[in-house]
Amino acid sequence: MRIVCIVLAFVFASLGAHAQTASRDFFAFVMLAEGSDGHPVPMVRSVAERAPACPVLRSSAGGVSTAMTPRRRPPGGQFDGVTVCEALYPVGEAASVFLGDRRIDLPTVSLGTPRRVALIGDSGCRGEALDKPQYCGGDGFAKVWPFGILSDEEADKRPDLIVHVGDYNYRGTERGLVLPPHLTGYAAPLSVNVYDTGDLDDEDIASLPIGAAYWSQNIEGSPNPDKWTNWRDDFFRPAARLLVAAPWLFSRGNHELCSRGGPGWFYLLDAGSTLLGPGRKQAECLPQLPADWRPGAWPKPPAQPFAGLPFPTHTSAPFRLKLGRLNIIAVDSANAADAVLYNLETYLTQYREVARMLAEDPTPTWLVTHRPVWAVVKRDKGGPIGLTPYGFINETQREAIHRVFGRGLPPHVTAVIAGHMHRFQAIGFEGAHPPHLAVGTGGMELSHVQPPPSPENPKAPIRIEGLDRGPAWVVGLRDFAAMIVRPVEDGTWTSVLYGTGGEPLATCDSRWPGPGRQRSVCELQ
């Protein structure tokens, strides 16, 4: 019966996608951000194709109507066909967004301790890329790109909060570009790498295109700039049911760098907004070429666009959501290099701000960031430590935390939650480090489990020596999945990882690891 339901869900999702294509796509969702006064602020965003004006927000209780205001489109014309609008959203009552005769009903928002938090990440689909193409629809939907199925599953579990740990847009963010002569002025096409500070877990050949190799998909005249249709197809259409199920916390991934999907990120999902109070505004990407690089007349090779100059990157400051007896601190790790120390000063600044937040409020806290702080990968894909056969990521964040916190994160940090790796990995430390979850299993093609499980007992945790100066116990899975976490008032939490058929794949308890306890934070089912 479960298989029949999945097939029917796919059929109806496909019909819905065709119906939306025939008309005009219209989405709305609620997101949470931190106001300038430190309190959480619910905001509603609408995303509408070819809309002549912004929608109206109307509360269900008093029927009060609020005109939504437009956000600033990225330059270049790639988002001119879609209008994003926003407004403050009420607490304690549901509301609806109206655009002409179309209506989207939105959830009731509570700012108390959430009972069920849905975690999902790395949900996009690579598409017909030259390197390792991934089919993004048709008969292979549930097996090859199951984000729509997982979205429906999580919506049915009625979460109070949804946390996406980043990487929404894959089909529009390839790793390289071929720049045509009419753009460069050169005699032949120019092949370049796109700036990223590491995406090393899932690649056959380790690649780190930083430093002088910096190029951006979003340079003027790019043959593959960030655009709305990729965001629509990779995230908004398959997430349609989940978008309206609960308020969201969106984390920025490395596929949302300004050199990749950054323009759409800051327009569609980033929390920056004037609605958050004085000093807050919508963020945007800096120009992706120097001002004196004219189309068709670039400096002759081997010139590099920002040689000797700061790269035009943007890293948002950490923000905190105070939700009853749970705080969540979001850290933008998109620019944190995986396997080498790069942009370290940026992340020293980031974690000094995290330290300030933690020092002023001892409420149990989750740290949410796209790139893992501690994760086990192949030795040649991360920073090797000692004589272990593994590599470890993320080197930049780990070093920043060492320098800022010395002996480690304070004990009221009860979880570090990430994605980036296209698999599930759960780490429980024998020392004082908080449990670490990587849930990058939302739809992107999966990578192999590291460390490799024991052939005699594949579900048993693997002991890793030297993972951030101490032993740790690691379990992992190569399954498409999402997680429901249940916080407890005393700061502990439990969770279950669910597969595409709703089956439990792992159960977790924050009390399991710790000094003298030889177990991970999760057990595989």
Side-chain angles (χ1 to χ4, degrees), residues 374 407-413 429-435 468-471 513-515:
W374 305 289
R407 296 183 179 180
L409 295 167
H412 59 286
V413 177
F429 291 89
E430 288 190 19
H433 291 314
D468 210 6
R469 304 177 185 177

Side-chain angles (χ1 to χ4, degrees), residues 193-215:
N193 291 325
V194 172
Y195 166 84
D196 190 4
T197 56
D199 202 355
L200 307 182
D201 176 58
D202 306 295
E203 302 302 321
D204 294 328
I205 300 175
S207 175
L208 197 67
I210 57 178
Y214 176 86
W215 294 88

Side-chain angles (χ1 to χ4, degrees), residues 24-40:
R24 287 176 281 186
D25 282 290
F26 175 38
F27 308 95
F29 54 92
V30 179
M31 61 188 297
L32 298 180
E34 183 184 23
S36 56
D37 60 0
H39 295 295

Side-chain angles (χ1 to χ4, degrees), residues 125-483:
C125 184
R126 184 185 287 116
E128 300 305 315
L130 293 176
D131 181 36
K132 298 168 66 177
Q134 181 187 18
Y135 190 51
C136 298
D139 295 337
F141 184 87
K143 293 183 178 180
V144 180
W145 184 47
F147 178 43
I149 296 294
L150 288 172
S151 294
D152 289 350
E153 288 284 349
E154 296 309 292
D156 289 341
K157 293 182 175 65
R158 301 178 64 186
D160 303 300
L161 175 68
I162 303 161
V163 176
H164 194 301
V165 294
D167 280 4
Y168 312 79
N169 178 352
Y170 282 86
R171 73 186 71 199
T173 52
E174 296 188 44
R175 295 183 65 97
L177 287 174
V178 178
L179 304 177
H182 71 79
L183 173 61
T184 64
Y186 304 158
L190 177 67
S191 296
V192 299
N193 291 325
V194 172
Y195 166 84
D196 190 4
T197 56
D199 202 355
L200 307 182
D201 176 58
D202 306 295
E203 302 302 321
D204 294 328
I205 300 175
S207 175
L208 197 67
I210 57 178
Y214 176 86
W215 294 88
S216 172
Q217 289 183 225
N218 298 305
I219 58 177
E220 183 181 355
S222 168
N224 186 26
D226 188 28
K227 56 187 177 183
W228 157 242
T229 53
N230 289 328
W231 279 92
R232 179 195 66 195
D233 296 342
D234 251 22
F235 180 69
F236 283 92
R237 282 182 175 172
R241 277 196 66 210
L242 190 58
L243 276 173
V244 299
W248 288 70
L249 186 158
F250 295 104
S251 186
R252 183 189 184 196
N254 60 301
H255 281 258
E256 290 78 57
L257 285 164
C258 285
S259 57
R260 308 180 85 185
W265 161 257
F266 287 114
Y267 185 39
L268 298 161
L269 299 181
D270 181 64
S273 171
T274 56
L275 298 176
L276 300 179
R280 302 299 176 88
K281 62 180 181 178
Q282 179 181 341
E284 60 186 354
C285 291
L286 297 169
Q288 299 291 283
L289 275 179
D292 58 346
W293 282 50
R294 304 299 180 192
W298 284 7
K300 298 303 179 186
Q304 297 289 339
F306 290 96
L309 300 173
F311 295 160
T313 60
H314 177 86
T315 300
S316 299
F319 69 87
R320 173 177 51 188
L321 298 179
K322 297 181 178 182
L323 302 173
R325 289 294 302 158
L326 174 67
N327 287 350
I328 302 178
I329 296 178
V331 175
D332 177 356
S333 58
N335 284 292
D338 276 340
V340 298
L341 295 183
Y342 190 81
N343 291 328
L344 179 59
E345 286 301 320
T346 295
Y347 286 93
L348 288 172
T349 301
Q350 293 284 86
Y351 280 99
R352 288 180 187 126
E353 177 61 11
V354 172
R356 182 195 67 78
M357 294 176 177
L358 292 171
E360 72 177 19
D361 189 344
T363 301
T365 300
W366 297 350
L367 185 66
V368 173
T369 186
H370 175 67
R371 296 179 187 266
V373 174
W374 305 289
V376 181
V377 296
K378 291 182 179 179
R379 186 176 176 89
D380 64 343
K381 304 296 177 66
I385 298 178
L387 300 177
T388 68
Y390 310 111
F392 302 99
I393 59 175
N394 178 273
E395 291 294 280
T396 301
Q397 290 189 98
R398 196 163 57 85
E399 180 65 20
I401 288 173
H402 275 318
R403 296 193 189 186
V404 171
F405 291 95
R407 296 183 179 180
L409 295 167
H412 59 286
V413 177
T414 60
V416 176
I417 297 168
H420 193 50
M421 302 188 299
H422 300 158
R423 51 192 164 94
F424 172 68
Q425 187 177 93
I427 302 175
F429 291 89
E430 288 190 19
H433 291 314
H436 191 287
L437 299 172
V439 189
T441 52
M444 182 56 185
E445 184 182 31
L446 297 168
S447 60
H448 290 88
V449 172
Q450 292 290 335
S454 165
E456 294 78 22
N457 186 359
K459 297 181 180 180
I462 305 296
R463 180 183 171 94
I464 302 296
E465 297 289 349
L467 179 51
D468 210 6
R469 304 177 185 177
W473 294 85
V474 183
V475 295
L477 286 171
R478 189 188 189 194
D479 292 88
F480 294 117
M483 179 172 276

Side-chain angles (χ1 to χ4, degrees), residues 33-63:
E34 183 184 23
S36 56
D37 60 0
H39 295 295
V41 176
M43 297 182 290
V44 58
R45 292 255 173 98
S46 67
V47 181
E49 290 185 337
R50 300 186 299 281
C54 282
V56 172
L57 175 69
R58 188 172 302 153
S59 64
S60 58

